[in-house]
Amino acid sequence: MRLSRWAVLTSAFASLALAGLQAQIGVVTQHNDNNRTGQNINETILTPANVNVGSFGKLFSQAVDGLVYAQPLYVPNVNIPGKGIHNVVYVATEHDSVYAFDADNASGANASPLWQKSFIDPANGITSVSSGDVSCGDLVPEIGITGTPVIDTASGTMYLTAKTKENGRFAQRLHALDITTGAEKFGGPVLIKARVKGTGDGSVNGFISFSALREGQRAGLLLQNGQVYVAWASHCDVGPYHGWLMSFNASTLQPVALWNSTPDGGLGGFWSGGAGLAADSNSNTFVVTGNGTFDVNNHGRDYGDSIIKLPPPTTKNFRVADFFTPYNQQQLNDADADLGSGGVLLLPDQSGPHAHLLVEVGKEGTIYLIDRDKMGKFNPSNNNQIVQSLTSAVGGLWAVPAWWNNTLFFGGSGDYLKAFSFNPATGLLSQSPVSLTGTFFGFPGPTPSISANGTSNGIVWALQTDNYGSGSATLHAYNATNLASELYNSGQNFARDDPGGSVKFTVPTVANGKVYVPAQKRLTVYGLLAGH
C-alpha cells in the first residue's frame, strides 16, 4: 500500500516523538542504580556551558506535609487516570505521605499533586512517630517514611516502608503503591514482623524479635530478582536493637528471607547515610554494618563494623558468603566510629587485576577498596589482605560516593568534596585527590550525584546541608573534570533560587534537564530558565 505524503510526514513525526519519549531517563532507586553509582550518563540538556546563574535556576517548588529525607524518584510518561500522560516526580515525607507531582511545571492543574497517599488517620489514633517516642532527636519532629522507596516500572509499583503510631502501639508496614493512582497493590500493606534465634540484646526465651519502635528504616530499598530488600538500624543507638535485613516477594509482599547482623550481641545497624542497599548483576547483596558486636573471628555470628556479601536466599535465612572487617574494629566500635555510616558503592566490572570491586568509607574517613570475589574477612594485624586502603583520605562519610569516568567522588564531613582517579590497569585509586572543591562542607557532608552525556559534559551535583534545622540548603554544581571549577550554586541568586530548609543526608535527583531538591516541607525544581 502506498502512503500519502501527509501520512509519511505524520509517521515521521510520530517516530520522532516516540524517540523523544524513549530517550527520557527514569530515576527509580536511590543513587540511580543498584551499584549506587549516582550517575545519569544520559543527560543531554544540562551541560557545563549552560549551568550557570545566568541561565540556570529555580523553576518552581511544591509544598509537602513533612521533611523529605528520601531521595525524590522520577518516572517519565506515566499515564495518570483522568489526567493524561505526565513525567512524574515522587516525594515521600516523614509525615507518612507520598506525593506524585508533574515533574515539569506547577501551573494550572499541575499546581496540585497528581495524587497524594497518606498512611495516617489522626481522628482514629493513627499518626507518625514523634522524636520523643523513640527518645532520639536525630529525626525531628516526627518519623514516617525515611528510607528512599524503589519503583518497578515494569509493574508500575512503588515499594516503601512507613512507620506509624497507632493508639499507643507502633507499627512498620511494607506498602506497594500503584504509581498511577497511589492505590495499594498486591493485598498490601503488610505488617513487618520477624524473629530469629539468638541470645543477644533484647532476647526473650532464646529469640530476638523485630521492634517496630526501636528499629529505624534508613537505607534505601533494593529491588532485585523479584524481591524487595529492606534494612534497618535504629534511632540514636537507643537499644535494644540489631541490624535487620529482610526480603519480600515483590508480587505478593510475603516474607522470603531475613538476617540479623548481631543475634548473639547488639547493635550492628544498617545506616549507610541513607544509601540504598547495593547489589551486583548476580543478585548478590552487599551491606555494611555500624558499631556493634563482632565475634566472627571467634566462631561467633555477630558482624559489627563489617561489609557483608549475601547471595540470593535459598531458604528463609540469608547466608554470609564473604565479608571484610577492619583490623581495628574494636577501636572503631569503642569510639562509635562506625564503618557503616556511609554506603557501599560497587564499581562497574573491570578488565584489570580485580574484575569486581567495591568501595566503602565510614566515620574514620579511610577509603577501603575491596575485591568483591575475595573480600579478605578479618586480619587482626592490618588491612593488607584487601586491594587498597587510604587512611583518613577524606572526611568521615555519612553518604555514598559517586562514580563517573574512572573517577570516584567523595563528599566527606568536615572536608572538601574530593575526586580520586581510578587506574583500570592497576586496579588502584590515586593516593591523593586529583581535584577538590573550593567549598568546605561541614557535617554531614554531601552525597554527590553525576549528570553527563556519556563520557562528556560531566557535572557533579551536591547539596550542602551544614545548617540543617536552622537555614536553607545550598545546591552546588561543579565541573566533574575539575572540582575547583564551580559552575553554579543556589546562593548566587538566593532570592530567586532558595531551595528551602536543609534536611541532612538529602540527595538531589537529576533527570531530563531538571534537578529535584528535597527540603523541609518542600520539593524545589531547577532547570534552564526561560529563553535558555
Side-chain angles (χ1 to χ4, degrees), residues 469-525:
S470 63
S472 290
T474 302
L475 174 65
H476 295 269
Y478 303 96
N479 190 318
T481 61
N482 178 13
L483 293 178
S485 173
E486 184 173 26
L487 307 172
Y488 164 87
N489 75 67
S490 57
Q492 292 169 339
N493 189 339
F494 181 79
R496 182 192 70 191
D497 293 348
D498 175 18
S502 292
V503 176
K504 59 184 175 181
F505 310 131
T506 44
V507 183
T509 295
V510 188
N512 304 314
K514 293 184 175 65
V515 183
Y516 301 89
V517 175
Q520 294 182 24
K521 297 189 175 184
R522 185 191 302 184
L523 174 77
T524 302
V525 183

Side-chain angles (χ1 to χ4, degrees), residues 216-247:
Q217 204 288 291
R218 185 69 191 94
L221 275 60
L222 166 69
L223 178 66
Q224 64 167 350
N225 203 27
Q227 295 176 39
V228 180
Y229 289 58
V230 190
W232 286 265
S234 73
H235 302 284
C236 289
D237 272 345
V238 177
Y241 81 90
H242 303 264
W244 288 89
L245 174 70
M246 304 183 201
S247 70

Side-chain angles (χ1 to χ4, degrees), residues 12 22 79 84 100 115 119 125 147 168 170 207 241 265 268 284 287 293 312 337 351 411 444 470 486 496 507 518:
Q22 291 172 335
N79 192 350
W115 56 258
F119 303 119
F170 300 92
F207 285 91
Y241 81 90
N284 294 303
V287 294
T293 307
S351 59
S470 63
E486 184 173 26
R496 182 192 70 191
V507 183

Side-chain angles (χ1 to χ4, degrees), residues 357-372:
L357 290 164
L358 68 78
V359 66
E360 169 66 22
V361 180
K363 290 182 183 178
E364 195 180 28
T366 296
I367 300 174
Y368 299 96
L369 185 66
I370 297 169
D371 189 325
R372 306 198 307 260

Side-chain angles (χ1 to χ4, degrees), residues 61-256:
S61 62
Q62 290 279 20
V64 296
D65 61 10
L67 274 65
V68 183
Y69 277 81
Q71 182 177 342
L73 300 178
Y74 177 101
V75 181
N77 309 311
V78 180
N79 192 350
I80 306 294
K83 298 181 180 179
I85 295 176
H86 294 257
N87 298 327
V88 181
V89 58
Y90 298 91
V91 181
T93 77
E94 294 291 357
H95 198 60
D96 272 320
S97 285
V98 178
Y99 293 81
F101 293 111
D102 183 278
D104 299 314
N105 71 75
S107 61
N110 291 333
S112 300
L114 299 169
W115 56 258
Q116 178 189 356
K117 180 75 172 181
S118 174
F119 303 119
I120 63 174
D121 183 3
N124 288 301
I126 302 173
T127 66
S128 60
V129 177
S130 75
S131 304
D133 287 328
V134 298
S135 304
C136 171
D138 192 28
L139 301 176
V140 178
E142 61 183 340
I143 303 156
I145 305 168
T146 308
T148 299
V150 65
I151 294 175
D152 177 19
T153 54
S155 67
T157 309
M158 171 189 287
Y159 301 92
L160 62 100
T161 63
K163 186 166 185 164
T164 52
K165 183 177 182 179
E166 303 174 0
N167 296 298
R169 300 173 69 90
F170 300 92
Q172 295 193 43
R173 289 181 173 85
L174 175 65
H175 297 262
L177 304 184
D178 186 322
I179 65 171
T180 69
T181 64
E184 297 277 3
K185 299 181 66 173
F186 309 135
V190 296
L191 185 68
I192 294 169
K193 52 185 178 180
R195 70 173 192 167
V196 296
K197 288 183 178 180
T199 59
D201 294 350
S203 174
V204 177
N205 297 325
F207 285 91
I208 305 287
S209 294
F210 176 83
S211 170
L213 170 63
R214 295 298 173 208
E215 298 294 329
Q217 204 288 291
R218 185 69 191 94
L221 275 60
L222 166 69
L223 178 66
Q224 64 167 350
N225 203 27
Q227 295 176 39
V228 180
Y229 289 58
V230 190
W232 286 265
S234 73
H235 302 284
C236 289
D237 272 345
V238 177
Y241 81 90
H242 303 264
W244 288 89
L245 174 70
M246 304 183 201
S247 70
F248 302 83
N249 184 295
S251 298
T252 67
L253 306 187
Q254 293 307 299
V256 175

